[in-house]
Amino acid sequence: MNESDVSRVLAEAVIEAVLDTPGVAFLRPGLVDLLRSSALWRRGLPSTPAGSAGVQVRRRKDTQDWSVEVYVVLHRGRRALDVTREVRSAAAKAVERVTGERVTGERAAPAQIAVTVTGLV
């Protein structure tokens, strides 16, 4: 499996884990996702979940570790800090499943995971 395939599989695993986290309403959609959803809706086809802008996975050039950025919109009524910690934990477990390496404490091995809350609904 080449790096592009691993990146795609890793992103899909993180997306699934994040969307299963209580308190997460949805991933931040990007312009491409919004346009694709609109075009599919007009054709009567089911839209695919918007996730490409909500989860970005890259290989860090300096360390060769993975960099995972998650952008979420949360439900009101839960502490954002608690939900973001759960999202980070879920993303770390997804990275561990895909790469087979454990994500530990402050050290970014094999991934650095950042979670940003972009809104509340």
Side-chain angles (χ1 to χ4, degrees):
M1 194 180 301
N2 66 29
E3 187 172 313
S4 176
D5 291 338
V6 173
S7 177
R8 182 182 45 77
V9 169
L10 187 54
E12 290 172 1
V14 171
I15 289 169
E16 184 177 323
V18 169
L19 291 176
D20 286 343
T21 304
V24 173
F26 53 89
L27 294 169
R28 176 194 71 183
L31 180 59
V32 171
D33 299 314
L34 293 172
L35 292 173
R36 179 180 54 223
S37 294
S38 175
L40 291 172
W41 178 79
R42 276 186 265 133
R43 291 185 192 145
L45 300 172
S47 62
T48 57
S52 61
V55 172
Q56 297 176 3
V57 176
R58 294 183 185 87
R59 188 72 123 165
R60 295 178 51 154
K61 293 184 188 211
D62 55 342
T63 62
Q64 291 301 306
D65 293 338
W66 291 100
S67 172
V68 179
E69 297 174 18
V70 180
Y71 300 91
V72 292
V73 176
L74 305 179
H75 288 291
R76 292 184 190 273
R78 295 202 54 199
R79 283 181 19 142
L81 177 62
D82 295 337
V83 177
T84 55
R85 284 179 177 160
E86 292 172 24
V87 166
R88 187 185 184 291
S89 176
K93 289 176 184 171
V95 169
E96 290 172 12
R97 269 194 318 272
V98 172
T99 64
E101 298 179 39
R102 185 167 164 76
V103 177
T104 58
E106 296 298 315
R107 166 95 168 66
Q112 178 180 11
I113 300 170
V115 179
T116 303
V117 176
T118 61
L120 299 170
V121 292

